[in-house]
Amino acid sequence: MLYLAQVHRNEFLDQLQLHLLARQEANNIWVKIPEEAFILLGKGKTIAEKLLVLVELSPTGDIERIEEATNWVMDLIGTYLTTGITPDFLRQEAERAEQWRQSLTLQNQDLARRTLELEARREQIQALEESLKREKNLVNKAETLGE
């Protein structure tokens, strides 16, 4: 699993450790890690403190790969922040989408109501047609009997 981490020095053990900041859940979906989570790098590792890194961990928690996160951060900036996609913009778009969904729901309810009204009118017309047919048959029978 891929993590964003920052390199720190563990003063007690006098070695570097990774402070896990976020975890990749899916492509372009990351979740912040709310609790303090650290992984020791081990003695002899020389990485600058405070450096942001991407670290891939095995299912057992072993470090499989570490790379500096500068290029990844720059890609994020290029993809999302240079086009004006800000948290406020995303919030506004989410609100617009919700308003659109509510409008469609109301339109759907109105359409369903109109469909029911049309169905009721159609049934009334059919009932009137049946009634007219019965009356016509009665008139025809009366005329036939009267002859």
Side-chain angles (χ1 to χ4, degrees):
M1 185 166 283
L2 192 60
Y3 291 84
L4 176 65
Q6 188 173 35
V7 179
H8 288 275
R9 175 163 298 284
N10 182 317
E11 299 296 334
F12 180 73
L13 298 174
D14 192 34
Q15 63 185 50
L16 295 175
Q17 63 186 9
L18 297 176
H19 178 203
L20 301 179
L21 303 171
R23 168 181 75 248
Q24 185 179 32
E25 291 290 315
N27 196 22
N28 293 328
I29 299 175
W30 288 74
V31 176
K32 288 175 67 174
I33 298 175
E35 70 278 355
E36 294 275 320
F38 294 93
I39 295 178
L40 288 174
L41 283 175
K43 297 215 182 261
K45 297 282 186 175
T46 56
I47 299 177
E49 283 189 65
K50 305 296 183 190
L51 181 69
L52 285 177
V53 294
L54 291 172
V55 60
E56 190 164 338
L57 298 179
S58 70
T60 59
D62 296 326
I63 297 172
E64 292 182 344
R65 177 177 57 92
I66 294 179
E67 66 182 69
E68 189 177 336
T70 302
N71 291 336
W72 180 75
V73 170
M74 294 309 293
D75 285 344
L76 286 177
I77 290 170
T79 302
Y80 298 106
L81 301 179
T82 59
T83 58
I85 298 176
T86 63
D88 190 47
F89 171 80
L90 292 175
R91 183 187 51 74
Q92 289 173 356
E93 287 299 304
E95 287 173 2
R96 279 188 31 198
E98 179 60 22
Q99 289 170 354
W100 181 69
R101 186 194 64 76
Q102 288 176 3
S103 174
L104 286 178
T105 299
L106 290 174
Q107 289 175 14
N108 189 35
Q109 290 172 345
D110 188 48
L111 186 60
R113 180 188 54 79
R114 288 181 183 188
T115 302
L116 288 174
E117 288 174 357
L118 285 173
E119 182 64 26
R121 287 182 186 162
R122 188 180 64 76
E123 288 175 1
Q124 287 175 343
I125 290 170
Q126 284 179 338
L128 285 172
E129 286 175 345
E130 291 295 321
S131 176
L132 285 173
K133 282 182 187 177
R134 282 193 301 271
E135 285 181 28
K136 185 177 178 183
N137 285 340
L138 286 175
V139 169
N140 285 341
K141 283 184 185 179
E143 286 176 354
T144 308
L145 290 176
E147 290 181 358

